[in-house]
Amino acid sequence: MASFLKRLATSPSVWITILAALIAIIVRFNLPINHNNSTTLQQRLFNAEVLALYNGTDESLPILLGILGSVFDVTKGKSHYGVGGSYNHFAGRDASRAFVSGNFTGDGLTDSLHGLSTTEVKSIVDWRDFYFRSYTFVGKLVGRYYDSEGNPTKSLKGAEAKASRGAQLLEKQKVEEAKQPSCNSRWSQNEGGEVWCDNGFPRLVQRPVEIALTGKMSKRCACFSEDQLSQSGLEVYEGCDYHAKTCPV
């Protein structure tokens, strides 16, 4: 027996085998992992109940958050994500929707993107990319965006496709609007707001791509030369002269 214990104590291969077995047990049964051994968090699959343990209330554990099913260690931002921090509502859960909705209570803290516009979904994907750049990716949340094997679901692929479409539409809008220069603008509490053109006359014009981006039609102020003023769809600001270069708003 003494001889066996001596061989056990001096055999690196035995200890490596034991350590590997312990790590496998931890990952298999979703046991909490100490922050000091962060390498064991890599590529881990979480469920919602286990992810909730990493909400900053237990100082022995890292602080994690999920976005679009990707889970990140945000402990280095503890002053923001820890208890009492302004972003603590994101800790221990996937609240993807709240990144654009601004609803940080109740049903607002959800990973559902139902009803969000193309630009809003793109913004959430951009937020996920920010976390990939700024924090440590530690695994995936099994549920809406990843299946039990860690593979992307149709929901994730759909969100990424919608975001890609949004990027294309934004670029198209940028190119189209560059053809007609935007108005200058300023605002002050005492004097209110105004728009003006250094060259041309300010007009309100619809942004046709916007409805595909946000689901709503909007307008912008653009500057038009005098020979363009007869074009259809140009709107003179209320209370502004037809040939005025500056208009109150």
Side-chain angles (χ1 to χ4, degrees):
M1 184 65 176
S3 176
F4 169 76
L5 292 175
K6 183 177 181 180
R7 288 198 303 271
L8 180 63
T10 58
S11 175
S13 62
V14 172
W15 286 110
I16 291 173
T17 301
I18 292 173
L19 180 59
L22 288 173
I23 292 173
I25 291 171
I26 288 171
V27 173
R28 172 64 181 84
F29 293 100
N30 279 323
L31 299 176
I33 297 176
N34 190 285
H35 181 57
N36 293 328
N37 196 8
S38 61
T39 56
T40 59
L41 282 167
Q42 298 301 321
Q43 298 296 309
R44 178 179 170 187
L45 295 180
F46 295 84
N47 59 41
E49 292 75 17
V50 172
L51 182 60
L53 299 174
Y54 298 90
N55 64 359
T57 57
D58 186 340
E59 294 191 356
S60 69
L61 298 176
I63 303 172
L64 308 182
L65 69 74
I67 179 169
L68 293 177
S70 293
V71 180
F72 300 90
D73 184 339
V74 295
T75 309
K76 71 178 183 180
K78 184 177 181 179
S79 60
H80 302 296
Y81 296 99
V83 176
S86 55
Y87 302 143
N88 179 246
H89 39 258
F90 289 117
R93 57 162 57 97
D94 185 332
S96 296
R97 189 183 192 89
F99 280 91
V100 295
S101 71
N103 182 357
F104 304 129
T105 59
D107 293 341
L109 294 171
T110 176
D111 61 356
S112 172
L113 308 187
H114 179 71
L116 294 183
S117 69
T118 302
T119 48
E120 288 172 324
V121 174
K122 179 184 179 300
S123 180
I124 293 171
V125 171
D126 289 344
W127 270 110
R128 183 192 61 178
D129 294 344
F130 161 78
Y131 281 98
F132 269 115
R133 294 191 305 270
S134 305
Y135 293 92
T136 302
F137 171 69
V138 295
K140 301 170 183 176
L141 177 62
V142 174
R144 189 183 301 274
Y145 299 110
Y146 289 98
D147 65 20
S148 59
E149 301 297 321
N151 299 312
T153 63
K154 289 183 178 179
S155 294
L156 180 59
K157 293 176 182 178
E160 291 175 335
K162 191 170 185 177
S164 178
R165 175 62 175 159
Q168 293 172 357
L169 289 171
L170 284 171
E171 184 59 29
K172 179 180 180 181
Q173 179 172 273
K174 180 179 178 181
V175 170
E176 290 298 319
E177 293 185 357
K179 297 175 182 177
Q180 201 68 46
S182 297
C183 305
N184 302 301
S185 64
R186 60 178 164 230
W187 182 90
S188 69
Q189 188 171 3
N190 294 330
E191 299 179 5
E194 65 178 7
V195 294
W196 77 95
C197 295
D198 296 323
N199 296 295
F201 307 92
R203 292 292 185 271
L204 279 170
V205 60
Q206 290 186 340
R207 309 175 81 183
V209 178
E210 192 71 13
I211 194 167
L213 285 167
T214 66
K216 301 177 182 179
M217 183 62 76
S218 67
K219 299 177 181 180
R220 74 180 183 103
C221 181
C223 298
F224 292 84
S225 62
E226 187 165 6
D227 60 358
Q228 294 176 308
L229 296 181
S230 59
Q231 294 180 14
S232 61
L234 305 187
E235 181 182 340
V236 180
Y237 275 89
E238 184 178 354
C240 192
D241 292 337
Y242 186 83
H243 283 106
K245 288 182 173 289
T246 301
C247 296
V249 294

